[in-house]
Amino acid sequence: MSARKHFQPIAQRLSKILYRIGFLLMLVIVMVYSVLSYFDVAENLHAQLVSLAQEHRPRLSAALWDIDPIAITEELDSLSAVSSVAGIALITPSGARYMRGVSDEVSKELSYTVELMHKSSIIPVGSLTLISDRYEIWKQVAYRVLPFALAQLLFVMGLLFALQLFLRKVVLRRLDALTIHTHLLRPDHLDTAPPPPLFESPVRDELDNLLQGFANLQSNLLHQQKERGQLIHALAESRDQLEVEVAQRTDESFYLSEFLQLLSKDAARYLSMPLDGAEFGLEQTLKETGQLMGLDTLVAVHFAGEVQQGSVYLWHKGNKKIRPDFTLAKRNLFPLSEKKLNSQAAFMMSVPNELAEESGEAALCRDLHLAKLVALPLDFNGERLGVLFAGLSDQHRQYSELEMRLLPLVAGLCSNVLAHRRQQLSLQETKNALLAANKQLERLAGHDALTGIANRRTFDEALLQDMRRAKRHSKPLLLIVLDVDLFKQYSDYYGRDEGDIALQKIAAVLGKFAERSGDCAARIGEKEFVLLLPNTDLHVGKLLAERLRLAVIKLGLLHEDGSALTISQGLATYAGPEEVSAADFLRMADKALYRAKRGGRNQAQFVDLAT
């Protein structure tokens, strides 16, 4: 635990901070003013030295020209008498020196040197150096700075003193009042504690808002304290009544908790249950629920639909069964339940009075030896799926209010299970149909619509895979690109339909050359086809190309002039070690096809990437 901090009023802390800032600011201003004054004084002294040198220059030049020591001495004495001149150095070309007050530290002092010229000579007769001591500069600077610093000090002291008085009068008084008020506030003395004082001022500030906020807070706390007392009194009056009701419902709550846990467990079980396990799961739910509620039997009748057959799910504590023809669960077997459940959520029937002898309800009571029967609808999204029956064998036993409240929950679970099973069956049928449709789409997406052989996308995928396989196993890969010669003239003469028939026949011939697993015959352009043959070298490829050329001629497709419709082919092989992309491989075969076209058509040209 940290040591307790020493208390110090905030006004005193603010005053100390303001004093420090004020003195620091004053010090900076005085220093800046001192520097500026120094440069100003130095400039004035330098101007005085220049003026004196220019004034005495003619007379000294004449005295040096006339070699008049008396005149020289008088001029030097006259210059020495000036307060701003600390030293004089007069030097002639012959080396003679006239000094006044010159020390060894001339370089550290302010000086001005001028050449002495005579009107009768073009050569200087000497040089005059006037020196001013820096002590004179600092003395003049001090005369300027000290009054300014004193004025600044008095101004800052007065301003800070006035600010301190303002803080003590405005801030400290209100903070003291707020501190005293917070010390007086106690939870058990809220009504006796005086409100915080409100100071009169022409304007409001944050401290006024804070004092007003504490006054409002005290008022709100008093109001809440009164309300709390009233609530405590009301709760005390209700406590005894609640204890009686809690005691009455404790057993019911335990019973209901077990029932809800059972339903939750069964609901979770149905979510992961396979399609063929719903019948056993529903009968298990009826068994566990009937045993917990103390019933003699629970029967869930699922009506037959257009597609799905009806079912009867039964639990009886004596393991009694019903007649086999109820497996169909026809809706017309339960006319009373259908009629009553259209206007009410549940109804109870007595066997001797209300049930027709041939009805399904009477058959259930007769086969299972029931004296009373409660029927509840099994509805899902407004659709009647079936009926749930809860039976009792003892005629004197009555259905409790809690049982009549819980049976709709059992009916709801059974309805969801039956609907879920129906949806699973429907989804299974839909899934099977989708799988069949997807297979058909995949087949159609990978084949050319006109010729029935593979299309460009299938060829591109096969080319990439076969090139990787050829590189991995160092096996040759043969690519034949073929183009129908003069097909436009053929199609223009016979028409588009005959042209399509010709392409289909050529594609059929090409497909016969791709009989092995892994071979690919594809149409990649309007009249351009490819044949991709793994594990096939160039020698075999030449033989296949010749056989393919002759097979197309044997189709008997003739041009207008009687000549046969032919094909030109470009062959390329890939052995694996070469770093060649699929696009480059196809481009090499296209180049070979171009050479075949230029060479007169109806022929095959080849290129080996290894060479």
Side-chain angles (χ1 to χ4, degrees):
M1 184 176 179
S2 60
R4 186 176 179 181
K5 295 183 179 180
H6 176 66
F7 175 77
Q8 188 178 18
I10 188 171
Q12 184 178 351
R13 293 172 59 190
L14 288 175
S15 298
K16 288 183 178 180
I17 294 174
L18 291 175
Y19 273 115
R20 292 171 184 171
I21 295 175
F23 282 118
L24 181 61
L25 183 61
M26 184 194 72
L27 182 61
V28 171
I29 293 174
V30 171
M31 291 179 64
V32 171
Y33 183 74
S34 300
V35 172
L36 295 177
S37 299
Y38 176 83
F39 286 109
D40 185 53
V41 171
E43 185 178 356
N44 292 337
L45 287 177
H46 184 267
Q48 292 180 13
L49 294 180
V50 172
S51 176
L52 289 173
Q54 295 298 332
E55 179 183 354
H56 291 270
R57 179 181 181 184
R59 294 192 294 270
L60 281 174
S61 298
L64 288 175
W65 179 262
D66 298 333
I67 311 176
D68 187 357
I70 296 175
I72 293 174
T73 301
E74 289 178 353
E75 290 296 326
L76 295 179
D77 291 340
S78 176
L79 288 171
S80 299
V82 180
S83 61
S84 59
V85 178
I88 303 171
L90 180 62
I91 303 173
T92 64
S94 62
R97 293 174 177 266
Y98 299 90
M99 302 295 182
R100 294 289 191 277
V102 179
S103 62
D104 296 334
E105 299 180 355
V106 174
S107 60
K108 297 181 181 180
E109 298 173 348
L110 185 63
S111 62
Y112 176 73
T113 302
V114 64
E115 296 289 340
L116 300 178
M117 303 292 295
H118 193 265
K119 59 184 179 179
S120 302
S121 174
I122 60 174
I123 300 174
V125 296
S127 64
L128 174 64
T129 301
L130 300 181
I131 303 169
S132 178
D133 192 358
R134 293 191 184 274
Y135 173 76
E136 182 66 23
I137 298 176
W138 286 112
K139 182 171 67 175
Q140 294 187 25
V141 170
Y143 288 156
R144 290 188 183 187
V145 172
L146 287 178
F148 178 79
L150 182 59
Q152 290 294 322
L153 178 61
L154 293 176
F155 173 75
V156 171
M157 290 293 291
L159 181 63
L160 294 177
F161 182 73
L163 185 59
Q164 184 177 10
L165 290 179
F166 173 78
L167 289 175
R168 291 183 179 276
K169 181 178 179 180
V170 176
V171 179
L172 188 59
R173 287 177 59 200
R174 301 183 185 185
L175 291 178
D176 288 342
L178 186 59
T179 303
I180 294 173
H181 178 69
T182 54
H183 280 291
L184 294 177
L185 285 179
R186 293 291 184 272
D188 52 346
H189 295 91
L190 284 176
D191 52 346
T192 59
L198 300 178
F199 297 89
E200 295 183 0
S201 59
V203 293
R204 292 178 61 85
D205 53 20
E206 292 83 354
L207 292 177
D208 292 326
N209 293 336
L210 186 60
L211 290 172
Q212 184 64 47
F214 267 90
N216 296 337
L217 177 62
Q218 182 179 358
S219 176
N220 292 335
L221 289 176
L222 284 173
H223 180 68
Q224 292 180 2
Q225 191 177 44
K226 292 180 180 179
E227 290 184 348
R228 180 172 174 270
Q230 295 174 357
L231 290 174
I232 292 175
H233 181 69
L235 289 174
E237 293 179 350
S238 303
R239 181 179 56 191
D240 297 336
Q241 181 180 356
L242 288 175
E243 288 179 354
V244 174
E245 293 182 3
V246 169
Q248 293 176 350
R249 296 181 180 271
T250 299
D251 296 336
E252 182 178 328
S253 298
F254 283 120
Y255 176 75
L256 183 60
S257 176
E258 293 180 8
F259 181 80
L260 293 178
Q261 289 179 3
L262 174 62
L263 292 185
S264 299
K265 180 187 69 174
D266 290 342
R269 180 177 60 194
Y270 288 127
L271 291 177
S272 58
M273 184 174 292
L275 184 61
D276 55 356
E279 180 175 358
F280 172 77
L282 190 54
E283 291 183 349
Q284 184 69 19
T285 298
L286 296 177
K287 175 183 177 181
E288 295 174 353
T289 305
Q291 291 176 347
L292 179 62
M293 298 179 67
L295 301 174
D296 293 322
T297 187
L298 278 175
V299 182
V301 179
H302 185 201
F303 294 152
E306 297 179 357
V307 179
Q308 186 178 359
Q309 293 185 349
S311 303
V312 177
Y313 304 93
L314 167 69
W315 167 80
H316 189 274
K317 69 176 182 179
N319 294 325
K320 294 184 180 297
K321 303 297 181 182
I322 57 177
R323 62 192 186 192
D325 57 351
F326 266 88
T327 55
L328 298 178
K330 295 181 179 179
R331 187 184 298 267
N332 57 7
L333 293 177
F334 304 93
L336 181 62
S337 299
E338 279 286 284
K339 179 180 178 181
K340 294 285 187 179
L341 293 179
N342 287 333
S343 59
Q344 57 192 72
F347 77 97
M348 184 173 61
M349 63 193 83
S350 299
V351 176
N353 301 328
E354 301 182 34
L355 298 180
E357 185 177 355
E358 299 300 326
S359 66
E361 295 92 343
L364 287 176
C365 292
R366 184 173 55 251
D367 292 348
L368 300 177
H369 303 286
L370 302 176
K372 295 180 180 181
L373 202 63
V374 172
L376 299 98
L378 298 180
D379 294 342
F380 185 81
N381 290 338
E383 179 185 0
R384 180 64 48 81
L385 302 180
V387 182
L388 175 68
F389 295 101
L392 294 175
S393 301
D394 188 0
Q395 187 175 1
H396 301 288
R397 172 140 159 16
Q398 302 294 330
Y399 293 97
S400 67
E401 181 183 354
L402 181 60
E403 289 173 344
M404 295 303 295
R405 286 171 27 211
L406 294 181
L407 281 175
L409 298 179
V410 180
L413 178 61
C414 294
S415 300
N416 289 328
V417 172
L418 295 177
H420 180 63
R421 183 169 182 270
R422 185 176 64 178
Q423 290 175 355
Q424 282 184 317
L425 292 173
S426 177
L427 288 175
Q428 186 66 37
E429 294 177 358
T430 305
K431 181 179 179 182
N432 294 335
L434 286 176
L435 290 176
N438 285 335
K439 290 182 180 179
Q440 180 67 13
L441 287 175
E442 289 178 359
R443 190 187 68 81
L444 294 176
H447 289 74
D448 181 59
L450 175 64
T451 61
I453 63 176
N455 57 13
R456 179 60 183 264
R457 188 182 72 173
T458 302
F459 164 71
D460 290 339
E461 294 175 355
L463 181 60
L464 287 173
Q465 294 177 0
D466 289 343
M467 288 188 70
R468 295 192 189 103
R469 191 179 296 112
K471 184 176 182 179
R472 184 166 58 250
H473 300 291
S474 297
K475 297 292 185 179
L477 177 63
L478 176 67
L479 175 61
I480 301 177
V481 180
L482 59 97
D483 186 84
V484 182
D485 298 329
L486 303 175
F487 179 74
K488 186 177 185 306
Q489 291 85 335
Y490 181 89
S491 180
D492 290 343
Y493 179 74
Y494 290 104
R496 182 179 182 84
D497 293 339
E498 290 297 327
D500 291 343
I501 293 174
L503 292 177
Q504 292 172 349
K505 291 181 179 181
I506 295 174
V509 171
L510 188 63
K512 294 179 181 179
F513 284 82
E515 296 178 343
R516 298 179 304 172
S517 176
D519 294 347
C520 178
R523 181 189 180 198
I524 62 172
E526 180 184 2
K527 57 188 181 67
E528 190 175 5
F529 298 85
V530 291
L531 186 62
L532 186 62
L533 302 175
N535 300 327
T536 305
D537 56 17
L538 186 60
H539 175 69
V540 176
K542 293 178 181 179
L543 297 177
L544 292 176
E546 180 61 20
R547 290 174 53 194
L548 180 59
R549 185 184 69 83
L550 295 176
V552 172
I553 294 175
K554 289 180 181 180
L555 290 176
L557 303 173
L558 302 178
H559 284 283
E560 180 182 4
D561 58 358
S563 61
L565 185 67
T566 61
I567 58 173
S568 298
Q569 304 174 71
L571 285 72
T573 58
Y574 173 72
E578 301 85 359
E579 294 295 333
V580 180
S581 65
D584 292 338
F585 188 28
L586 181 60
R587 193 178 298 112
M588 293 295 104
D590 282 334
K591 288 183 178 180
L593 174 63
Y594 182 68
R595 291 204 306 270
K597 288 284 188 180
R598 289 194 307 172
R601 302 184 183 90
N602 193 24
Q603 59 179 285
Q605 295 291 334
F606 65 90
V607 60
D608 189 353
L609 297 183
T611 59

